[in-house]
PDB file of all heavy atoms in Angstrom:
ATOM      1  N   GLU A   1      46.556  39.823 -96.119  1.00 53.00           N
ATOM      2  CA  GLU A   1      46.919  40.198 -94.753  1.00 53.00           C
ATOM      3  C   GLU A   1      48.421  40.098 -94.555  1.00 53.00           C
ATOM      4  O   GLU A   1      49.023  39.028 -94.736  1.00 53.00           O
ATOM      5  CB  GLU A   1      46.204  39.291 -93.743  1.00 53.00           C
ATOM      6  CG  GLU A   1      46.614  39.523 -92.288  1.00 53.00           C
ATOM      7  CD  GLU A   1      46.234  40.904 -91.751  1.00 53.00           C
ATOM      8  OE1 GLU A   1      45.474  41.617 -92.439  1.00 53.00           O
ATOM      9  OE2 GLU A   1      46.693  41.250 -90.660  1.00 53.00           O
ATOM     10  N   LYS A   2      49.060  41.223 -94.240  1.00 53.00           N
ATOM     11  CA  LYS A   2      50.493  41.301 -93.964  1.00 53.00           C
ATOM     12  C   LYS A   2      51.327  40.600 -95.037  1.00 53.00           C
ATOM     13  O   LYS A   2      51.927  39.551 -94.797  1.00 53.00           O
ATOM     14  CB  LYS A   2      50.802  40.718 -92.580  1.00 53.00           C
ATOM     15  CG  LYS A   2      50.167  41.516 -91.450  1.00 53.00           C
ATOM     16  CD  LYS A   2      50.556  40.977 -90.097  1.00 53.00           C
ATOM     17  CE  LYS A   2      49.912  41.806 -88.993  1.00 53.00           C
ATOM     18  NZ  LYS A   2      50.239  41.290 -87.653  1.00 53.00           N
ATOM     19  N   PRO A   3      51.348  41.147 -96.253  1.00 56.00           N
ATOM     20  CA  PRO A   3      52.151  40.549 -97.319  1.00 56.00           C
ATOM     21  C   PRO A   3      53.635  40.704 -97.036  1.00 56.00           C
ATOM     22  O   PRO A   3      54.035  41.366 -96.078  1.00 56.00           O
ATOM     23  CB  PRO A   3      51.744  41.367 -98.552  1.00 56.00           C
ATOM     24  CG  PRO A   3      51.384  42.710 -97.982  1.00 56.00           C
ATOM     25  CD  PRO A   3      50.735  42.421 -96.645  1.00 56.00           C
ATOM     26  N   ALA A   4      54.450  40.123 -97.882  1.00 57.00           N
ATOM     27  CA  ALA A   4      55.904  40.159 -97.688  1.00 57.00           C
ATOM     28  C   ALA A   4      56.464  41.510 -98.100  1.00 57.00           C
ATOM     29  O   ALA A   4      57.124  41.666 -99.118  1.00 57.00           O
ATOM     30  CB  ALA A   4      56.566  39.051 -98.488  1.00 57.00           C
ATOM     31  N   GLY A   5      56.201  42.512 -97.287  1.00 56.00           N
ATOM     32  CA  GLY A   5      56.746  43.842 -97.508  1.00 56.00           C
ATOM     33  C   GLY A   5      56.404  44.394 -98.878  1.00 56.00           C
ATOM     34  O   GLY A   5      55.343  44.131 -99.438  1.00 56.00           O
ATOM     35  N   ASP A   6      57.322  45.194 -99.433  1.00 57.00           N
ATOM     36  CA  ASP A   6      57.099  45.782-100.749  1.00 57.00           C
ATOM     37  C   ASP A   6      57.889  45.044-101.819  1.00 57.00           C
ATOM     38  O   ASP A   6      58.060  45.538-102.932  1.00 57.00           O
ATOM     39  CB  ASP A   6      57.490  47.273-100.739  1.00 57.00           C
ATOM     40  CG  ASP A   6      58.964  47.479-100.381  1.00 57.00           C
ATOM     41  OD1 ASP A   6      59.663  46.466-100.170  1.00 57.00           O
ATOM     42  OD2 ASP A   6      59.398  48.636-100.325  1.00 57.00           O
ATOM     43  N   GLY A   7      58.364  43.861-101.485  1.00 56.00           N
ATOM     44  CA  GLY A   7      59.147  43.087-102.446  1.00 56.00           C
ATOM     45  C   GLY A   7      60.634  43.347-102.358  1.00 56.00           C
ATOM     46  O   GLY A   7      61.419  42.694-103.026  1.00 56.00           O
ATOM     47  N   GLY A   8      61.024  44.343-101.525  1.00 72.00           N
ATOM     48  CA  GLY A   8      62.424  44.689-101.411  1.00 72.00           C
ATOM     49  C   GLY A   8      63.176  43.764-100.475  1.00 72.00           C
ATOM     50  O   GLY A   8      62.623  43.228 -99.525  1.00 72.00           O
ATOM     51  N   THR A   9      64.459  43.564-100.766  1.00 82.00           N
ATOM     52  CA  THR A   9      65.333  42.763 -99.917  1.00 82.00           C
ATOM     53  C   THR A   9      66.206  43.707 -99.111  1.00 82.00           C
ATOM     54  O   THR A   9      66.765  44.655 -99.656  1.00 82.00           O
ATOM     55  CB  THR A   9      66.211  41.832-100.773  1.00 82.00           C
ATOM     56  OG1 THR A   9      65.367  40.976-101.548  1.00 82.00           O
ATOM     57  CG2 THR A   9      67.108  40.974 -99.900  1.00 82.00           C
ATOM     58  N   ILE A  10      66.314  43.466 -97.808  1.00 87.00           N
ATOM     59  CA  ILE A  10      67.056  44.376 -96.950  1.00 87.00           C
ATOM     60  C   ILE A  10      68.138  43.639 -96.168  1.00 87.00           C
ATOM     61  O   ILE A  10      68.186  42.407 -96.133  1.00 87.00           O
ATOM     62  CB  ILE A  10      66.117  45.104 -95.971  1.00 87.00           C
ATOM     63  CG1 ILE A  10      65.523  44.114 -94.950  1.00 87.00           C
ATOM     64  CG2 ILE A  10      65.007  45.837 -96.710  1.00 87.00           C
ATOM     65  CD1 ILE A  10      64.803  44.778 -93.808  1.00 87.00           C
ATOM     66  N   ASN A  11      69.000  44.420 -95.535  1.00 91.00           N
ATOM     67  CA  ASN A  11      70.051  43.904 -94.679  1.00 91.00           C
ATOM     68  C   ASN A  11      69.431  43.357 -93.408  1.00 91.00           C
ATOM     69  O   ASN A  11      68.845  44.089 -92.621  1.00 91.00           O
ATOM     70  CB  ASN A  11      71.030  45.055 -94.371  1.00 91.00           C
ATOM     71  CG  ASN A  11      71.960  44.757 -93.208  1.00 91.00           C
ATOM     72  OD1 ASN A  11      72.167  43.602 -92.829  1.00 91.00           O
ATOM     73  ND2 ASN A  11      72.525  45.810 -92.636  1.00 91.00           N
ATOM     74  N   GLY A  12      69.581  42.054 -93.191  1.00 92.00           N
ATOM     75  CA  GLY A  12      69.033  41.423 -92.002  1.00 92.00           C
ATOM     76  C   GLY A  12      70.062  41.170 -90.920  1.00 92.00           C
ATOM     77  O   GLY A  12      69.794  40.441 -89.968  1.00 92.00           O
ATOM     78  N   GLY A  13      71.243  41.807 -91.043  1.00 93.00           N
ATOM     79  CA  GLY A  13      72.297  41.533 -90.064  1.00 93.00           C
ATOM     80  C   GLY A  13      72.885  40.163 -90.298  1.00 93.00           C
ATOM     81  O   GLY A  13      72.872  39.645 -91.413  1.00 93.00           O
ATOM     82  N   PHE A  14      73.430  39.531 -89.277  1.00 96.00           N
ATOM     83  CA  PHE A  14      74.043  38.204 -89.364  1.00 96.00           C
ATOM     84  C   PHE A  14      75.030  38.156 -90.540  1.00 96.00           C
ATOM     85  O   PHE A  14      74.808  37.498 -91.546  1.00 96.00           O
ATOM     86  CB  PHE A  14      72.985  37.118 -89.468  1.00 96.00           C
ATOM     87  CG  PHE A  14      72.151  36.988 -88.225  1.00 96.00           C
ATOM     88  CD1 PHE A  14      70.916  37.613 -88.129  1.00 96.00           C
ATOM     89  CD2 PHE A  14      72.620  36.276 -87.134  1.00 96.00           C
ATOM     90  CE1 PHE A  14      70.153  37.522 -86.979  1.00 96.00           C
ATOM     91  CE2 PHE A  14      71.866  36.178 -85.964  1.00 96.00           C
ATOM     92  CZ  PHE A  14      70.625  36.809 -85.894  1.00 96.00           C
ATOM     93  N   PHE A  15      76.115  38.900 -90.371  1.00 96.00           N
ATOM     94  CA  PHE A  15      77.193  38.966 -91.363  1.00 96.00           C
ATOM     95  C   PHE A  15      78.237  37.890 -91.080  1.00 96.00           C
ATOM     96  O   PHE A  15      78.374  37.404 -89.956  1.00 96.00           O
ATOM     97  CB  PHE A  15      77.910  40.318 -91.269  1.00 96.00           C
ATOM     98  CG  PHE A  15      77.082  41.515 -91.616  1.00 96.00           C
ATOM     99  CD1 PHE A  15      76.289  42.132 -90.663  1.00 96.00           C
ATOM    100  CD2 PHE A  15      77.110  42.056 -92.896  1.00 96.00           C
ATOM    101  CE1 PHE A  15      75.537  43.253 -90.962  1.00 96.00           C
ATOM    102  CE2 PHE A  15      76.366  43.182 -93.215  1.00 96.00           C
ATOM    103  CZ  PHE A  15      75.575  43.775 -92.244  1.00 96.00           C
ATOM    104  N   LEU A  16      79.006  37.572 -92.099  1.00 97.00           N
ATOM    105  CA  LEU A  16      80.243  36.826 -91.930  1.00 97.00           C
ATOM    106  C   LEU A  16      81.311  37.642 -92.629  1.00 97.00           C
ATOM    107  O   LEU A  16      81.177  37.973 -93.814  1.00 97.00           O
ATOM    108  CB  LEU A  16      80.135  35.418 -92.519  1.00 97.00           C
ATOM    109  CG  LEU A  16      80.820  34.338 -91.662  1.00 97.00           C
ATOM    110  CD1 LEU A  16      80.417  32.953 -92.088  1.00 97.00           C
ATOM    111  CD2 LEU A  16      82.334  34.484 -91.694  1.00 97.00           C
ATOM    112  N   LEU A  17      82.373  38.006 -91.889  1.00 98.00           N
ATOM    113  CA  LEU A  17      83.323  38.999 -92.377  1.00 98.00           C
ATOM    114  C   LEU A  17      84.764  38.534 -92.256  1.00 98.00           C
ATOM    115  O   LEU A  17      85.132  37.827 -91.312  1.00 98.00           O
ATOM    116  CB  LEU A  17      83.165  40.306 -91.582  1.00 98.00           C
ATOM    117  CG  LEU A  17      81.771  40.928 -91.531  1.00 98.00           C
ATOM    118  CD1 LEU A  17      81.761  42.115 -90.575  1.00 98.00           C
ATOM    119  CD2 LEU A  17      81.311  41.344 -92.913  1.00 98.00           C
ATOM    120  N   SER A  18      85.564  38.973 -93.212  1.00 98.00           N
ATOM    121  CA  SER A  18      87.009  38.834 -93.108  1.00 98.00           C
ATOM    122  C   SER A  18      87.551  40.000 -92.275  1.00 98.00           C
ATOM    123  O   SER A  18      87.036  41.122 -92.387  1.00 98.00           O
ATOM    124  CB  SER A  18      87.639  38.873 -94.507  1.00 98.00           C
ATOM    125  OG  SER A  18      89.025  39.147 -94.422  1.00 98.00           O
ATOM    126  N   PRO A  19      88.579  39.777 -91.471  1.00 98.00           N
ATOM    127  CA  PRO A  19      89.171  40.891 -90.732  1.00 98.00           C
ATOM    128  C   PRO A  19      89.654  42.016 -91.642  1.00 98.00           C
ATOM    129  O   PRO A  19      89.807  43.159 -91.190  1.00 98.00           O
ATOM    130  CB  PRO A  19      90.340  40.244 -89.978  1.00 98.00           C
ATOM    131  CG  PRO A  19      90.004  38.801 -89.903  1.00 98.00           C
ATOM    132  CD  PRO A  19      89.233  38.498 -91.156  1.00 98.00           C
ATOM    133  N   ARG A  20      89.845  41.732 -92.924  1.00 97.00           N
ATOM    134  CA  ARG A  20      90.322  42.753 -93.865  1.00 97.00           C
ATOM    135  C   ARG A  20      89.303  43.862 -94.078  1.00 97.00           C
ATOM    136  O   ARG A  20      89.661  44.964 -94.524  1.00 97.00           O
ATOM    137  CB  ARG A  20      90.672  42.087 -95.203  1.00 97.00           C
ATOM    138  CG  ARG A  20      91.920  41.204 -95.126  1.00 97.00           C
ATOM    139  CD  ARG A  20      92.018  40.255 -96.309  1.00 97.00           C
ATOM    140  NE  ARG A  20      92.020  40.954 -97.580  1.00 97.00           N
ATOM    141  CZ  ARG A  20      91.864  40.346 -98.762  1.00 97.00           C
ATOM    142  NH1 ARG A  20      91.691  39.020 -98.800  1.00 97.00           N
ATOM    143  NH2 ARG A  20      91.890  41.052 -99.862  1.00 97.00           N
ATOM    144  N   VAL A  21      88.037  43.620 -93.730  1.00 97.00           N
ATOM    145  CA  VAL A  21      87.041  44.686 -93.914  1.00 97.00           C
ATOM    146  C   VAL A  21      87.293  45.841 -92.948  1.00 97.00           C
ATOM    147  O   VAL A  21      86.816  46.961 -93.188  1.00 97.00           O
ATOM    148  CB  VAL A  21      85.598  44.157 -93.728  1.00 97.00           C
ATOM    149  CG1 VAL A  21      85.316  43.001 -94.674  1.00 97.00           C
ATOM    150  CG2 VAL A  21      85.311  43.770 -92.283  1.00 97.00           C
ATOM    151  N   LEU A  22      88.028  45.584 -91.861  1.00 98.00           N
ATOM    152  CA  LEU A  22      88.306  46.656 -90.904  1.00 98.00           C
ATOM    153  C   LEU A  22      89.128  47.772 -91.536  1.00 98.00           C
ATOM    154  O   LEU A  22      89.069  48.925 -91.089  1.00 98.00           O
ATOM    155  CB  LEU A  22      89.030  46.094 -89.686  1.00 98.00           C
ATOM    156  CG  LEU A  22      88.305  44.991 -88.897  1.00 98.00           C
ATOM    157  CD1 LEU A  22      89.145  44.541 -87.717  1.00 98.00           C
ATOM    158  CD2 LEU A  22      86.939  45.459 -88.433  1.00 98.00           C
ATOM    159  N   ASP A  23      89.885  47.446 -92.592  1.00 97.00           N
ATOM    160  CA  ASP A  23      90.679  48.458 -93.285  1.00 97.00           C
ATOM    161  C   ASP A  23      89.800  49.477 -94.016  1.00 97.00           C
ATOM    162  O   ASP A  23      90.269  50.559 -94.387  1.00 97.00           O
ATOM    163  CB  ASP A  23      91.624  47.801 -94.290  1.00 97.00           C
ATOM    164  CG  ASP A  23      92.662  46.907 -93.615  1.00 97.00           C
ATOM    165  OD1 ASP A  23      92.965  47.150 -92.425  1.00 97.00           O
ATOM    166  OD2 ASP A  23      93.149  45.969 -94.273  1.00 97.00           O
ATOM    167  N   LEU A  24      88.539  49.142 -94.247  1.00 97.00           N
ATOM    168  CA  LEU A  24      87.624  50.038 -94.942  1.00 97.00           C
ATOM    169  C   LEU A  24      86.934  51.019 -93.996  1.00 97.00           C
ATOM    170  O   LEU A  24      86.177  51.885 -94.442  1.00 97.00           O
ATOM    171  CB  LEU A  24      86.546  49.226 -95.676  1.00 97.00           C
ATOM    172  CG  LEU A  24      87.044  48.141 -96.638  1.00 97.00           C
ATOM    173  CD1 LEU A  24      85.859  47.399 -97.246  1.00 97.00           C
ATOM    174  CD2 LEU A  24      87.920  48.748 -97.724  1.00 97.00           C
ATOM    175  N   ILE A  25      87.176  50.862 -92.706  1.00 98.00           N
ATOM    176  CA  ILE A  25      86.529  51.705 -91.700  1.00 98.00           C
ATOM    177  C   ILE A  25      87.514  52.768 -91.236  1.00 98.00           C
ATOM    178  O   ILE A  25      88.575  52.457 -90.693  1.00 98.00           O
ATOM    179  CB  ILE A  25      86.057  50.859 -90.502  1.00 98.00           C
ATOM    180  CG1 ILE A  25      85.090  49.760 -90.977  1.00 98.00           C
ATOM    181  CG2 ILE A  25      85.401  51.731 -89.441  1.00 98.00           C
ATOM    182  CD1 ILE A  25      84.739  48.737 -89.901  1.00 98.00           C
ATOM    183  N   GLU A  26      87.174  54.040 -91.444  1.00 97.00           N
ATOM    184  CA  GLU A  26      88.098  55.119 -91.112  1.00 97.00           C
ATOM    185  C   GLU A  26      88.210  55.358 -89.612  1.00 97.00           C
ATOM    186  O   GLU A  26      89.300  55.549 -89.088  1.00 97.00           O
ATOM    187  CB  GLU A  26      87.673  56.413 -91.814  1.00 97.00           C
ATOM    188  CG  GLU A  26      87.861  56.375 -93.323  1.00 97.00           C
ATOM    189  CD  GLU A  26      87.636  57.721 -93.958  1.00 97.00           C
ATOM    190  OE1 GLU A  26      87.479  58.712 -93.212  1.00 97.00           O
ATOM    191  OE2 GLU A  26      87.612  57.793 -95.201  1.00 97.00           O
ATOM    192  N   GLY A  27      87.070  55.394 -88.911  1.00 96.00           N
ATOM    193  CA  GLY A  27      87.137  55.694 -87.488  1.00 96.00           C
ATOM    194  C   GLY A  27      85.776  55.649 -86.836  1.00 96.00           C
ATOM    195  O   GLY A  27      84.825  55.073 -87.369  1.00 96.00           O
ATOM    196  N   ASP A  28      85.666  56.294 -85.677  1.00 97.00           N
ATOM    197  CA  ASP A  28      84.447  56.221 -84.873  1.00 97.00           C
ATOM    198  C   ASP A  28      83.209  56.730 -85.599  1.00 97.00           C
ATOM    199  O   ASP A  28      82.091  56.283 -85.311  1.00 97.00           O
ATOM    200  CB  ASP A  28      84.623  57.033 -83.582  1.00 97.00           C
ATOM    201  CG  ASP A  28      85.525  56.328 -82.574  1.00 97.00           C
ATOM    202  OD1 ASP A  28      85.916  55.176 -82.825  1.00 97.00           O
ATOM    203  OD2 ASP A  28      85.826  56.947 -81.535  1.00 97.00           O
ATOM    204  N   ASP A  29      83.366  57.676 -86.512  1.00 97.00           N
ATOM    205  CA  ASP A  29      82.214  58.279 -87.183  1.00 97.00           C
ATOM    206  C   ASP A  29      81.745  57.498 -88.408  1.00 97.00           C
ATOM    207  O   ASP A  29      80.809  57.917 -89.092  1.00 97.00           O
ATOM    208  CB  ASP A  29      82.545  59.721 -87.600  1.00 97.00           C
ATOM    209  CG  ASP A  29      82.759  60.633 -86.399  1.00 97.00           C
ATOM    210  OD1 ASP A  29      82.167  60.348 -85.337  1.00 97.00           O
ATOM    211  OD2 ASP A  29      83.515  61.614 -86.522  1.00 97.00           O
ATOM    212  N   THR A  30      82.376  56.377 -88.682  1.00 97.00           N
ATOM    213  CA  THR A  30      82.021  55.586 -89.857  1.00 97.00           C
ATOM    214  C   THR A  30      80.846  54.661 -89.561  1.00 97.00           C
ATOM    215  O   THR A  30      80.882  53.889 -88.609  1.00 97.00           O
ATOM    216  CB  THR A  30      83.208  54.746 -90.341  1.00 97.00           C
ATOM    217  OG1 THR A  30      84.314  55.592 -90.626  1.00 97.00           O
ATOM    218  CG2 THR A  30      82.839  53.958 -91.592  1.00 97.00           C
ATOM    219  N   THR A  31      79.818  54.769 -90.384  1.00 96.00           N
ATOM    220  CA  THR A  31      78.670  53.865 -90.288  1.00 96.00           C
ATOM    221  C   THR A  31      78.934  52.657 -91.179  1.00 96.00           C
ATOM    222  O   THR A  31      79.166  52.806 -92.380  1.00 96.00           O
ATOM    223  CB  THR A  31      77.381  54.579 -90.727  1.00 96.00           C
ATOM    224  OG1 THR A  31      77.168  55.722 -89.897  1.00 96.00           O
ATOM    225  CG2 THR A  31      76.174  53.652 -90.638  1.00 96.00           C
ATOM    226  N   TRP A  32      78.908  51.473 -90.599  1.00 96.00           N
ATOM    227  CA  TRP A  32      79.218  50.254 -91.340  1.00 96.00           C
ATOM    228  C   TRP A  32      78.334  50.102 -92.571  1.00 96.00           C
ATOM    229  O   TRP A  32      78.786  49.694 -93.634  1.00 96.00           O
ATOM    230  CB  TRP A  32      79.068  49.045 -90.426  1.00 96.00           C
ATOM    231  CG  TRP A  32      79.019  47.726 -91.136  1.00 96.00           C
ATOM    232  CD1 TRP A  32      77.961  46.896 -91.278  1.00 96.00           C
ATOM    233  CD2 TRP A  32      80.112  47.094 -91.832  1.00 96.00           C
ATOM    234  NE1 TRP A  32      78.298  45.782 -92.002  1.00 96.00           N
ATOM    235  CE2 TRP A  32      79.622  45.881 -92.358  1.00 96.00           C
ATOM    236  CE3 TRP A  32      81.452  47.445 -92.044  1.00 96.00           C
ATOM    237  CZ2 TRP A  32      80.418  45.014 -93.081  1.00 96.00           C
ATOM    238  CZ3 TRP A  32      82.252  46.572 -92.780  1.00 96.00           C
ATOM    239  CH2 TRP A  32      81.741  45.381 -93.298  1.00 96.00           C
ATOM    240  N   GLU A  33      77.052  50.476 -92.440  1.00 93.00           N
ATOM    241  CA  GLU A  33      76.080  50.274 -93.511  1.00 93.00           C
ATOM    242  C   GLU A  33      76.220  51.304 -94.631  1.00 93.00           C
ATOM    243  O   GLU A  33      75.510  51.223 -95.633  1.00 93.00           O
ATOM    244  CB  GLU A  33      74.662  50.321 -92.941  1.00 93.00           C
ATOM    245  CG  GLU A  33      74.376  49.273 -91.882  1.00 93.00           C
ATOM    246  CD  GLU A  33      74.943  49.614 -90.514  1.00 93.00           C
ATOM    247  OE1 GLU A  33      75.361  50.786 -90.301  1.00 93.00           O
ATOM    248  OE2 GLU A  33      74.999  48.703 -89.668  1.00 93.00           O
ATOM    249  N   ALA A  34      77.104  52.277 -94.480  1.00 91.00           N
ATOM    250  CA  ALA A  34      77.311  53.295 -95.512  1.00 91.00           C
ATOM    251  C   ALA A  34      78.552  52.968 -96.340  1.00 91.00           C
ATOM    252  O   ALA A  34      78.573  51.980 -97.073  1.00 91.00           O
ATOM    253  CB  ALA A  34      77.396  54.682 -94.867  1.00 91.00           C
ATOM    254  N   GLU A  35      79.607  53.749 -96.217  1.00 93.00           N
ATOM    255  CA  GLU A  35      80.762  53.607 -97.092  1.00 93.00           C
ATOM    256  C   GLU A  35      81.400  52.222 -97.104  1.00 93.00           C
ATOM    257  O   GLU A  35      81.678  51.682 -98.184  1.00 93.00           O
ATOM    258  CB  GLU A  35      81.811  54.671 -96.741  1.00 93.00           C
ATOM    259  CG  GLU A  35      83.116  54.568 -97.530  1.00 93.00           C
ATOM    260  CD  GLU A  35      82.927  54.637 -99.050  1.00 93.00           C
ATOM    261  OE1 GLU A  35      81.925  55.248 -99.501  1.00 93.00           O
ATOM    262  OE2 GLU A  35      83.755  54.077 -99.782  1.00 93.00           O
ATOM    263  N   PRO A  36      81.644  51.562 -95.959  1.00 94.00           N
ATOM    264  CA  PRO A  36      82.276  50.240 -96.036  1.00 94.00           C
ATOM    265  C   PRO A  36      81.463  49.229 -96.843  1.00 94.00           C
ATOM    266  O   PRO A  36      82.006  48.552 -97.727  1.00 94.00           O
ATOM    267  CB  PRO A  36      82.396  49.823 -94.565  1.00 94.00           C
ATOM    268  CG  PRO A  36      82.466  51.110 -93.822  1.00 94.00           C
ATOM    269  CD  PRO A  36      81.535  52.028 -94.548  1.00 94.00           C
ATOM    270  N   MET A  37      80.153  49.121 -96.569  1.00 94.00           N
ATOM    271  CA  MET A  37      79.340  48.167 -97.319  1.00 94.00           C
ATOM    272  C   MET A  37      79.175  48.592 -98.772  1.00 94.00           C
ATOM    273  O   MET A  37      79.181  47.752 -99.682  1.00 94.00           O
ATOM    274  CB  MET A  37      77.971  47.998 -96.650  1.00 94.00           C
ATOM    275  CG  MET A  37      78.006  47.132 -95.404  1.00 94.00           C
ATOM    276  SD  MET A  37      76.356  46.698 -94.785  1.00 94.00           S
ATOM    277  CE  MET A  37      75.760  45.619 -96.109  1.00 94.00           C
ATOM    278  N   GLU A  38      79.045  49.886 -98.999  1.00 92.00           N
ATOM    279  CA  GLU A  38      78.915  50.380-100.373  1.00 92.00           C
ATOM    280  C   GLU A  38      80.177  50.079-101.173  1.00 92.00           C
ATOM    281  O   GLU A  38      80.112  49.692-102.342  1.00 92.00           O
ATOM    282  CB  GLU A  38      78.629  51.883-100.357  1.00 92.00           C
ATOM    283  CG  GLU A  38      77.255  52.237 -99.807  1.00 92.00           C
ATOM    284  CD  GLU A  38      77.087  53.717 -99.546  1.00 92.00           C
ATOM    285  OE1 GLU A  38      78.040  54.488 -99.842  1.00 92.00           O
ATOM    286  OE2 GLU A  38      76.031  54.118 -99.037  1.00 92.00           O
TER     287      GLU A  38
END
């Protein structure tokens, strides 16, 4: 009954970040979970 998903680990939010990561964000159209995290 309701096993632990498919075994995959996902992004659960609750980040801790250096202000330097802001340099990886180009602008309003940037999705944090795409290019910056990649």
